[in-house]
């Protein structure tokens, strides 16, 4: 604050807007530990959007970017996580992690564009982890 001349409120807001990756990783691990059992099954679907998206990011690890799957194949993978396959599938599509076309689903190869409001409502882990996940796929 001495260097930039920012007020405490402005400096705090800037720090919260772009937290270090380690803090985002810690928050994601905390959420995963709370919502998933030791077998990798989801205990319940979170009601809060930010937590639900953090859970969806963990589920997304079970897929490969660019992969094309039928609804049945998506169902098999999601059923390993939670019995409400349709809800999870809709949420993955709604978040832009999957796209649907002609009865098949494609795992995104690009991070979805987010509005400022969405960026505030979604976990920071998405901005940290998702580009790395997609870049790892692209470099293969």
């Amino acid at each position: 604050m001495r260097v930039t001349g920012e007020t405490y409120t402005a400096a705090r807001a800037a720090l919260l807007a772009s937290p270090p990756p380690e803090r985002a990783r810690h928050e994601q691990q905390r959420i995963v530990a709370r919502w998933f059992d030791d077998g990798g099954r989801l205990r319940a679907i979170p009601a809060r959007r930010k937590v639900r998206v953090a859970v969806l990011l963990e589920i997304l690890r079970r897929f490969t970017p660019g992969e094309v799957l039928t609804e049945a194949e998506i169902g098999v993978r999601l059923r390993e996580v939670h019995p409400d396959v349709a809800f999870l599938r809709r949420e993955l599509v709604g978040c832009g992690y999957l796209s649907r076309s002609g009865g098949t689903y494609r795992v995104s190869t690009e991070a979805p564009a987010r509005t400022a409001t969405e960026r505030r409502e979604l976990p920071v882990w998405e901005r940290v982890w998702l580009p790395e996940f997609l870049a790892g796929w692209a470099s293969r």
Side-chain angles (χ1 to χ4, degrees):
M1 291 174 10
R2 281 186 211 138
V3 173
T4 64
E6 292 176 303
T7 64
Y8 169 80
T9 305
R12 183 176 186 278
L15 283 173
L16 291 176
S18 59
E22 283 306 313
R23 194 163 90 202
R25 179 175 287 111
H26 175 73
E27 179 65 15
Q28 178 70 11
Q29 289 170 342
R30 188 184 66 74
I31 290 168
V32 168
R34 180 174 181 214
W35 290 94
F36 287 86
D37 65 20
D38 292 337
R41 291 195 50 86
L42 186 58
R43 290 186 177 101
I45 297 173
R48 287 184 41 225
R49 184 172 190 214
K50 186 177 271 191
V51 176
R52 191 170 53 246
V53 172
V55 163
L56 292 174
L57 289 170
E58 183 64 23
I59 293 169
L60 188 60
R61 290 177 183 268
R62 298 170 185 258
F63 298 92
T64 302
E67 188 174 20
V68 177
L69 302 144
T70 65
E71 190 169 314
E73 291 169 326
I74 292 279
V76 167
R77 293 207 198 159
L78 294 179
R79 200 165 286 109
E80 294 172 0
V81 178
H82 193 270
D84 196 346
V85 171
F87 181 80
L88 292 175
R89 188 180 59 241
R90 280 192 306 270
E91 288 291 302
L92 287 165
V93 170
C95 285
Y97 304 143
L98 294 178
S99 59
R100 184 170 188 245
S101 177
T104 60
Y105 292 83
R106 184 172 188 270
V107 182
S108 292
T109 56
E110 297 178 355
R114 301 290 188 208
T115 65
T117 302
E118 288 174 323
R119 283 191 300 274
R120 281 191 305 273
E121 293 176 352
L122 299 177
V124 174
W125 187 240
E126 183 190 65
R127 292 191 305 255
V128 173
W129 177 79
L130 192 56
E132 291 175 8
F133 174 70
L134 298 172
W137 166 79
S139 66
R140 289 182 203 167

